[in-house]
Amino acid sequence: MNHETTVSLQREPAPRRSILLASFGVTFASMIAIVTVLVFSGTSANASTYALTSSGVTWNAASWTCTAGAPGATSCGAYPGSSGTAGDIANINSSGGTVTVNSVIPSAVTLNLNCTSCTLNISSGTLGLTGSSTMTGSTPTLLISGGTLNLVNAVDTLQVPFGATLSFTSGTLGGPGAVNIDGALNWSNGTMSGGGNTTLGSGGTATLAGGTTILSSRTFDNNGAVNFTSVGQFQINNATFNNNSTGVFNAQNVASICWCSGAAGTFNNAGLFKKTGGASPTSFVGNVVLNNTGTVDAQVGTIQIQSGTSTGTFKTTTGTAIEFIGGTQTLNAGASLTGTGTFSIAGANVLSNGITTTGTTLSFTSGTFDVGSNVSFVSYSQSGGTLSGAGTVTVTGSASWSGGTMAGDTSPGTATIGDFIVPAGVTLSIPSGNVYLDGRKLTNQGLVNASGTLSLYHVAVFDNQAGATYDLKND
C-alpha cells in the first residue's frame, strides 16, 4: 500500500527570508556527477540563510541523509555540522511516511528527494533551483499553487520524468533555466516567465485547463501532446510557443490564444494544430502571430487567425471554417487551403503568393485578398473588401458578388492587372447593391446574372466572350 509523504515547510520570523511550502513530498534528486543546488530564497538568491520551519530537525551542515522508514515516522534526526557552505547536500528518502523538518538552509544546497505518491506544494515564497534537478520515485508531483519556482541560471535544469507531474494552479515558474517535461504538465492558472525554456518531450502530455495561463518572456517547445480545454485564455506575451514537428496542440474549447500585454507573442506551428471541440470559435486574438509550416485543422467549429507567414496546410471539413480576422497573413509557395469547409477573409489582409487549393470555398466579407499568383475556388462569395493582385482567380462551381471591389491597376494606367474568370457552365450572381471593377479584368465564359449595379473604373475590362451571357435584371 502506498502512503502519502508530506514535508511541511513554514515561515520563520524576520529577519530571515522564508517560504511556505506545504505538502512537501515531491522528489528532487540530483545527478551525482553534477552537484545540484536547490536554493530556497526570499527575494535574493544570494542571501546567506533561508528558513524552512516546522518541527523536529535542524539542517545547517555539509552533508546529511535521512531515510524515513515505516509510515508515521516524523523525524529524521539532526542534520550535522554548521558550515552552511555552498554545495551542501541534503538527501531525503521516504517510502510513504510523514517527514517534518525544522531547518535553516544555506544559500546553495543540493537537495535530493525520493518519495512515493507524494506532492511538493510551493504555496508562497520562492524555491530557487540551481544545477540539474529531477524528480524520482513513484508518481511524484510538484505543485506550484501560489509561490515561485525559479531556475536561477541559464544552465540550470529541472527534469520532470515519465510518471512525474508538474501541476501549476497559481504563481510563477520563472528564471533563465530550463524545465524539461517527459511526464505530465497540468496547467490551470499562473505564469511561466523568466527568459528560459519549457520543453514538453515527445512522450509528454500537457493539459491547459481552467482559467488563464500565461507564457511571458519565455519559450515553450512542444514535442508531445497539448490539450487546450480551458474556458479562459492562453496568453502569449512577448513569448514564443513552438508546436514542433512531432507536436500536437488540440483545442477542445472555445477559448482564445491571446497576445494581451507587452510585446507581441508568436505561435509557430510545425506540427498539428487541431480543433476538436466547441462549436464557437477558438481564436488567435490580440494580433498574436501564427506562423504555420505544419497543419492547422478545423475538425469542429471555427479557427480564427490573425497575422503570420505560412507555407503549411490549412484544412477544413464540411460545416467547419478557418477565418482570417485581422492583421496580415502571408501565404507563400507551399501553403495550401484544403477541405470541404469554408475559408473566410473577415478583416484581414491576406497575401497569396503561390498557394494551392483543393475543393475550397472562399467567403470574403472585409479586408484585402491580394492574389500574387493564380488560384481557383469551387465556390467564391464576396460581400465586401478588396480583391487585388496580378494573379487570376478562377471559380469552378458557383460565385456571388454582392459588395466590395475587384481591383487591379487603380491608377490612370494603360493595362488591367489581374483577372477573375467565370468558366463555361458557371454562374456569377450580382444579386443587389453596388460592386466595383477597378483596373481589373473580369472574363465571362459562362453566365452573369446582374440584379445589382456593376461599375467599371480606370482601365477595367468586362470581357463577355463568345457563347457567354450577361443577364442584366435591373432597370
Side-chain angles (χ1 to χ4, degrees):
M1 178 180 297
N2 292 331
H3 301 270
E4 182 180 6
T5 298
T6 304
V7 177
S8 298
L9 306 176
Q10 301 174 347
R11 188 178 300 273
E12 281 266 348
R16 294 190 178 103
R17 297 182 178 91
S18 64
I19 60 172
L20 174 62
L21 301 176
S23 303
F24 198 145
V26 150
T27 301
F28 280 93
S30 70
M31 304 289 290
I32 297 302
I34 304 174
V35 173
T36 300
V37 179
L38 308 186
V39 181
F40 295 79
S41 59
T43 58
S44 170
N46 297 316
S48 59
T49 60
Y50 304 88
L52 293 78
T53 64
S54 180
S55 61
V57 184
T58 298
W59 305 341
N60 58 358
S63 183
W64 175 77
T65 299
C66 164
T67 300
T74 58
S75 176
C76 289
Y79 182 54
S82 59
S83 66
T85 303
D88 281 2
I89 299 174
N91 303 295
I92 295 181
N93 305 303
S94 179
S95 58
T98 299
V99 179
T100 59
V101 297
N102 180 354
S103 177
V104 176
I105 301 295
S107 60
V109 171
T110 300
L111 183 62
N112 303 324
L113 296 172
N114 180 28
C115 65
T116 301
S117 298
C118 51
T119 298
L120 166 58
N121 182 7
I122 305 173
S123 59
S124 70
T126 298
L127 170 59
L129 309 183
T130 65
S132 301
S133 306
T134 191
M135 302 161 61
T136 61
S138 176
T139 61
T141 297
L142 171 58
L143 171 61
I144 306 173
S145 64
T148 296
L149 179 67
N150 189 42
L151 281 298
V152 177
N153 304 299
V155 296
D156 300 331
T157 61
L158 169 64
Q159 189 71 32
V160 182
F162 179 79
T165 299
L166 174 60
S167 187
F168 196 4
T169 62
S170 181
T172 302
L173 187 156
V179 177
N180 302 314
I181 304 169
D182 292 315
L185 169 65
N186 296 326
W187 189 7
S188 58
N189 278 290
T191 300
M192 291 191 185
S193 63
N197 280 71
T198 299
T199 300
L200 187 68
S202 58
T205 59
T207 300
L208 278 59
T212 299
T213 53
I214 301 173
L215 187 67
S216 177
S217 302
R218 193 174 184 88
T219 298
F220 193 116
D221 286 296
N222 177 37
N223 302 301
V226 174
N227 295 310
F228 184 32
T229 64
S230 175
V231 295
Q233 293 177 332
F234 176 33
Q235 296 186 17
I236 306 177
N237 302 326
N238 191 30
T240 300
F241 187 98
N242 295 316
N243 195 47
N244 294 326
S245 59
T246 60
V248 176
F249 192 101
N250 184 6
Q252 303 172 15
N253 55 12
V254 296
S256 62
I257 299 171
C258 173
W259 164 34
C260 294
S261 67
T266 301
F267 191 110
N268 295 317
N269 180 54
L272 172 61
F273 181 101
K274 62 181 180 179
K275 178 174 171 62
T276 61
S280 296
T282 295
S283 305
F284 289 83
V285 297
N287 208 25
V288 65
V289 174
L290 170 66
N291 300 317
N292 177 36
T293 58
T295 298
V296 174
D297 187 1
Q299 298 181 9
V300 173
T302 300
I303 299 173
Q304 293 180 326
I305 296 168
Q306 297 197 25
S307 297
T309 301
S310 299
T311 58
T313 298
F314 296 88
K315 184 178 180 182
T316 63
T317 190
T318 302
T320 72
I322 292 178
E323 296 180 349
F324 301 96
I325 61 172
T328 298
Q329 178 68 223
T330 301
L331 305 176
N332 287 325
S336 63
L337 309 179
T338 66
T340 55
T342 300
F343 293 89
S344 175
I345 301 174
N349 179 26
V350 178
L351 307 178
S352 171
N353 298 314
I355 65 171
T356 60
T357 60
T358 304
T360 305
T361 293
L362 179 68
S363 174
F364 186 11
T365 60
S366 61
T368 301
F369 184 31
D370 190 296
V371 183
S373 60
N374 298 345
V375 63
S376 67
F377 298 100
V378 170
S379 176
Y380 179 94
S381 174
Q382 183 176 355
S383 59
T386 300
L387 171 68
S388 63
T392 296
V393 177
T394 302
V395 180
T396 61
S398 62
S400 174
W401 186 14
S402 59
T405 300
M406 295 186 184
D409 185 352
T410 57
S411 65
T414 59
T416 60
I417 295 177
D419 199 352
F420 188 97
I421 297 177
V422 181
V426 174
T427 298
L428 168 63
S429 297
I430 304 176
S432 61
N434 298 305
V435 295
Y436 304 95
L437 191 66
D438 188 357
R440 193 174 190 88
K441 184 179 181 181
L442 194 158
T443 301
N444 180 31
Q445 301 167 347
L447 171 64
V448 174
N449 283 325
S451 298
T453 300
L454 171 61
S455 300
L456 278 66
Y457 290 94
H458 296 114
V459 290
V461 172
F462 185 96
D463 182 7
N464 199 53
Q465 295 190 347
T469 300
Y470 183 87
D471 189 353
L472 183 62
K473 296 180 177 297
N474 60 357
D475 293 333

